[in-house]
């Protein structure tokens, strides 16, 4: 998990106000994050948290950031998702992978 954080942490900026070059670096970091995440496996054990679908607002915010080409904001939202939710639960892990594959990796095909 530390490796995943270390990929995103240099670009953790909700305001996305560090310039175009840094924003493009954040886009590459999202690609690297996706590739590292794909190497890992989801947890087999179900971790009960307050609400089963509480991770969905994070995915929506990540999608909106990506749609707006605010890659540093997407990094920030991913860090929040990993911190506040049981990130390696299948429901979160696979939906995050799917979102990144569709929104980030399509530009690298």
């Amino acid at each position: 998990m530390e490796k995943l954080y270390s990929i995103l942490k240099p670009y953790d900026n909700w305001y996305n106000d560090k310039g175009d070059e840094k924003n493009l670096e954040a886009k590459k970091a999202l690609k690297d994050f996706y590739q590292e995440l794909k190497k890992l496996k989801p947890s087999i054990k179900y971790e009960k948290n307050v609400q089963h679908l509480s991770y969905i607002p994070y995915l929506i915010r990540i999608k909106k950031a990506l749609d707006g080409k605010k890659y540093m904001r997407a990094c920030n939202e991913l860090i929040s998702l990993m911190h506040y939710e049981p990130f390696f639960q299948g429901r979160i892990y696979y939906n995050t992978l799917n979102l990144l594959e569709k929104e980030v990796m399509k530009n690298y095909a």
Side-chain angles (χ1 to χ4, degrees), residues 46-61 81 84-86 89-92 95:
Y46 177 77
E47 289 182 43
K48 197 172 185 176
N49 61 346
V50 179
Q51 292 184 337
H52 182 76
L53 301 175
S54 59
Y55 69 96
I56 293 197
Y58 291 101
L59 292 182
I60 291 169
R61 289 191 298 266
L81 174 62
Y84 291 110
E85 298 291 333
Q89 292 289 282
R91 67 187 187 276
I92 300 173
N95 281 312

Side-chain angles (χ1 to χ4, degrees), residues 37-90:
L37 183 60
K38 201 170 180 179
K39 294 176 187 175
L40 304 172
K41 299 292 176 212
S43 175
I44 328 175
K45 184 178 180 263
Y46 177 77
E47 289 182 43
K48 197 172 185 176
N49 61 346
V50 179
Q51 292 184 337
H52 182 76
L53 301 175
S54 59
Y55 69 96
I56 293 197
Y58 291 101
L59 292 182
I60 291 169
R61 289 191 298 266
I62 293 165
K63 170 85 167 90
K64 283 184 175 181
L66 294 172
D67 285 348
K69 298 185 185 328
K70 294 183 178 188
Y71 303 113
M72 288 182 278
R73 182 175 293 180
C75 290
N76 173 270
E77 293 292 353
L78 270 167
I79 287 172
S80 295
L81 174 62
M82 290 191 302
H83 180 77
Y84 291 110
E85 298 291 333
F87 187 68
F88 282 100
Q89 292 289 282

Side-chain angles (χ1 to χ4, degrees), residues 24-32 35 71 100-101 103-109:
L24 288 176
E25 289 174 20
K27 182 179 180 182
K28 185 186 179 314
L30 290 167
K31 174 188 167 257
D32 296 343
Q35 291 172 329
Y71 303 113
L100 292 174
E101 184 171 349
E103 300 299 324
V104 176
M105 297 309 291
K106 70 179 178 187
N107 297 320
Y108 285 96

